[in-house]
């Protein structure tokens, strides 16, 4: 199995609901987002998927979140804007545009600090 990863980042504000701790207050993070794609077979040219395609698709998703107050977005009115749910949101959006017979999104990781991250993955 081949695995590729791209890294990007976004700056957002959030305020967790039903959470006792510092994240219940309005604040922001510079999230580092990692996107993993996997596949069993390479193209004849020896690549799994052009990194640029993964980066472009990810930027399109991130654009909707970057420099926003996440709680204001329709999706996060229903779903708490935790790093876990941010990772899942990005995963779900990316699998729509990137998945095909050869390649699939396997994991998205959202780092909310240098030492803490949450991932959403499908085996
Ligand atoms: Zn937070």
């Amino acid at each position: 199995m081949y695995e590729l990863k791209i890294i990007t980042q976004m700056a957002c504000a959030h305020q967790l609901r039903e959470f006792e701790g510092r994240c219940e207050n309005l604040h922001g993070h510079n999230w580092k987002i990692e996107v993993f794609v996997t596949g069993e077979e390479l193209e004849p040219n020896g690549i799994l998927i052009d990194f640029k395609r993964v980066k472009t698709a990810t930027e399109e998703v991130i654009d909707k979140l970057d420099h926003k107050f996440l709680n204001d977005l329709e999706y996060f009115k229903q779903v708490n804007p935790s790093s876990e749910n941010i990772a899942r949101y990005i995963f779900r959006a990316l699998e729509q545009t990137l998945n095909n017979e050869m390649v699939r999104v396997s994991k998205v990781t959202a780092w909310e600090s240098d030492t803490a991250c949450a991932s959403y993955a499908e085996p």
Side-chain angles (χ1 to χ4, degrees), residues 79-117:
V79 172
N80 222 5
S82 60
S83 289
E84 292 87 332
N85 282 327
I86 290 167
R88 190 182 62 173
Y89 173 89
I90 296 170
F91 183 103
R92 291 275 182 234
L94 282 178
E95 67 178 359
Q96 312 254 332
T97 53
L98 288 178
N99 280 19
N100 61 36
E101 292 152 16
M102 306 291 284
V103 179
R104 48 187 289 280
V105 180
S106 58
K107 183 165 78 169
V108 171
T109 298
W111 289 86
E112 65 173 47
S113 73
D114 287 342
T115 55
C117 70

Side-chain angles (χ1 to χ4, degrees), residues 14 16 23 27 29 31 112:
H14 75 166
L16 293 185
C23 274
H27 64 285
H29 296 278
W31 270 277
E112 65 173 47

